[in-house]
Amino acid sequence: MMPDTLFMGQQQIFLPVCESTNSEAQQLLNKNEATEGCTIVTAKQTRGRGQRGNSWEAEPGKNITLSVILSPSFLPVRYQFHLNMAVSLGVLDLLHEQGLKQAQVKWPNDLYFEDKKLGGILIENTINSYSLQHSIVGIGLNVNQLVFKNNTATSLALALGHNLDVDVLIKRLLELLEKRYLELRSGKVAKLKYEYLQVLFRYQEQHFFMVDGHKVQGQILGVAEDGRLALEINKGLRYFSFKEIAYII
Ligand code: BTN
C-alpha cells in the first residue's frame, strides 16, 4: 500500500520470508540499490534480530516486521540518539492514534503498554568520518499475535481487543515516521526531546534498576545528548549507557 509521503516507503520491497529485514536492507545498501526511505517488509523472519544480540520472535503474517533505509548525513555521530527519539516518537504516534493513549517508550526505544512490550526498534548505522551515512531502522511491532512465549510481551490486538489490518498500519506508520524524521532533519531537536520525555516510561518516578549486578533505587531525570540515561540515585546524578543498566519491571 502506497503511503502518502515524499520518500518514506515510496520504494517498498515485500519479501514473504527472509532472515532479517535489517540484513536485507544492509545487502541492498551494499549493492547500492536503495534510495532514502526504501522499506523492506516481510511476513516472516527466520533470524529476526533484537537489541543486545537477542533474537526477535514474531508469529508469521500477524505482525509488523520491517526496515527503513535512511541517510541522515546531517546528523553528527555524537547525536545519533536523536534519530532513536524521532523513530520512537513516530511509532508511538501510530500507537496513540490507534487508541493506545497510554503507550510509552522504554529507554532507549522499546514500545511499552502497561508494563508489557509491544514492540522494539533496532537501528544500525554506518558512519562517515563524523556523521551518519546510512541508518537501517528496523521496527518490530506486535499487531495481531495473541500468544507469546514471554509473558512480558503484548500486542495491539491484545491491548485493544480487536484485530487490525497490518498493511494499513504499515502505510500509516511510514507517514508518521516521515513526519518525525522531517522534524529531526529540520533541526527541531528540542521539540523531539521534550516530546520523548513526555512519553518516557518511568520518567521522574522512583523505581528499581539493576546496576553492576546490584538492585538500586532511582529516578529517571532525563536523557543526555549522547543518549545516556540520567538517573538520580541517592541524591547523586549518574549517567548510564545501554549496557550498564537494566530495568526491573
Ligand atoms: C528489540 O527490541 O530488541 C529490537 C527489535 C527489533 C526487531 C525488528 S523486526 C524488523 C527488523 N529486522 C530485524 O531483524 N530486527 C528488526
Side-chain angles (χ1 to χ4, degrees):
M1 222 177 258
M2 218 40 174
D4 185 7
T5 55
L6 297 171
F7 56 88
M8 205 70 83
Q10 287 298 312
Q11 185 185 359
Q12 260 186 62
I13 299 169
F14 175 75
L15 303 169
V17 186
C18 70
E19 286 196 352
S20 150
T21 53
N22 268 37
S23 311
E24 291 289 340
Q26 188 57 57
Q27 286 168 29
L28 278 184
L29 279 175
N30 295 345
K31 290 188 281 183
N32 255 318
E33 282 176 10
T35 53
E36 177 155 55
C38 174
T39 302
I40 296 102
V41 180
T42 194
K44 175 178 175 174
Q45 289 187 130
T46 54
R47 282 177 71 174
R49 295 187 279 113
Q51 297 188 72
R52 304 180 197 247
N54 289 325
S55 64
W56 182 256
E57 311 291 343
E59 216 178 302
K62 296 200 170 172
N63 303 296
I64 294 180
T65 39
L66 61 76
S67 300
V68 180
I69 296 174
L70 297 173
S71 313
S73 50
F74 57 88
L75 203 60
V77 176
R78 65 183 183 282
Y79 296 149
Q80 53 181 284
F81 185 72
H82 296 170
L83 179 63
N84 293 58
M85 292 195 300
V87 172
S88 304
L89 285 169
V91 183
L92 270 182
D93 289 341
L94 178 78
L95 298 175
H96 293 160
E97 215 177 73
Q98 293 302 316
L100 288 187
K101 303 286 178 220
Q102 305 304 321
Q104 291 185 306
V105 54
K106 175 171 157 285
W107 176 86
N109 42 29
D110 285 351
L111 291 322
Y112 259 65
F113 180 70
E114 290 179 347
D115 288 0
K116 291 192 173 185
K117 185 159 166 168
L118 268 173
I121 299 168
L122 177 67
I123 302 184
E124 296 177 303
N125 296 318
T126 48
I127 280 158
N128 236 332
S129 45
Y130 70 98
S131 69
L132 296 185
Q133 189 180 21
H134 294 294
S135 292
I136 296 171
V137 176
I139 299 173
L141 192 61
N142 303 328
V143 181
N144 293 322
Q145 184 168 338
L146 299 178
V147 182
F148 293 92
K149 282 185 198 149
N150 194 329
N151 71 349
T152 58
T154 190
S155 65
L156 278 152
L158 281 174
L160 290 166
H162 58 82
N163 273 18
L164 295 103
D165 185 324
V166 173
D167 294 334
V168 173
L169 279 186
I170 290 175
K171 171 185 184 290
R172 189 64 188 136
L173 175 62
L174 292 166
E175 292 166 0
L176 294 165
L177 276 177
E178 180 172 274
K179 217 168 147 217
R180 292 298 186 174
Y181 184 66
L182 290 176
E183 285 183 348
L184 176 67
R185 206 164 75 174
S186 59
K188 299 203 174 73
V189 175
K191 174 181 188 282
L192 290 169
K193 191 166 178 187
Y194 174 80
E195 291 189 43
Y196 179 85
L197 291 179
Q198 295 301 303
V199 292
L200 186 60
F201 181 67
R202 298 196 168 167
Y203 179 52
Q204 291 180 332
E205 295 171 7
Q206 287 291 335
H207 282 283
F208 289 103
F209 298 85
M210 286 304 288
V211 174
D212 291 332
H214 298 286
K215 188 173 167 181
V216 301
Q217 192 176 2
Q219 177 171 194
I220 298 173
L221 289 188
V223 178
E225 228 44 64
D226 63 3
R228 283 181 305 157
L229 189 68
L231 211 68
E232 187 189 59
I233 300 171
N234 298 330
K235 302 224 157 68
L237 193 58
R238 288 179 62 186
Y239 291 89
F240 297 93
S241 66
F242 187 48
K243 291 190 181 103
E244 294 169 336
I245 188 164
Y247 286 64
I248 300 176
I249 309 277

